[in-house]
Amino acid sequence: MKQLIKKREEPFIYNKYYLSAQNKWVQKMESLTGRLSKRAIIYLLVLFTVLEGGYFLYNIYAAFSKKNSEINKNPAAISKIKTINFKK
């Protein structure tokens, strides 16, 4: 357990592909948000959070409501249970 808590003496070296992907992501995000103010970015973040939260809540509601159930829409999807006869 002490080995896990002990501080590293040498830094962790990331893979070059990971660092390349991270660098490209940073450049893309800087180009998309470079001309936006801090307030606009916060508004967009809040809007995204609210919309995605609503979408996920709707999906949860649809999964538990009986009127939107896939079984009720397609009763032919329910197959009969086949029994297996084991010989003794």
Side-chain angles (χ1 to χ4, degrees):
M1 186 69 178
K2 207 176 213 184
Q3 296 281 342
L4 296 173
I5 300 173
K6 188 176 179 183
K7 187 177 178 181
R8 289 180 181 240
E9 294 179 7
E10 55 189 46
F12 183 79
I13 300 172
Y14 290 99
N15 191 329
K16 65 179 180 178
Y17 298 111
Y18 173 76
L19 293 175
S20 174
Q22 189 179 32
N23 190 24
K24 287 182 182 181
W25 177 261
V26 168
Q27 290 174 353
K28 181 73 173 173
M29 289 299 111
E30 283 180 353
S31 68
L32 289 174
T33 61
R35 58 182 188 263
L36 296 175
S37 68
K38 185 177 179 180
R39 180 174 285 178
I41 292 173
I42 291 173
Y43 285 147
L44 288 173
L45 177 63
V46 169
L47 177 67
F48 174 78
T49 305
V50 168
L51 288 176
E52 289 300 312
Y55 175 71
F56 288 127
L57 288 175
Y58 171 76
N59 282 338
I60 291 170
Y61 172 74
F64 288 113
S65 69
K66 293 186 180 187
K67 63 181 179 182
N68 290 334
S69 177
E70 291 295 323
I71 294 172
N72 291 339
K73 289 181 182 177
N74 190 4
I78 302 173
S79 63
K80 293 183 179 178
I81 299 173
K82 297 179 181 179
T83 58
I84 299 173
N85 294 325
F86 292 109
K87 294 182 179 180
K88 291 185 181 182

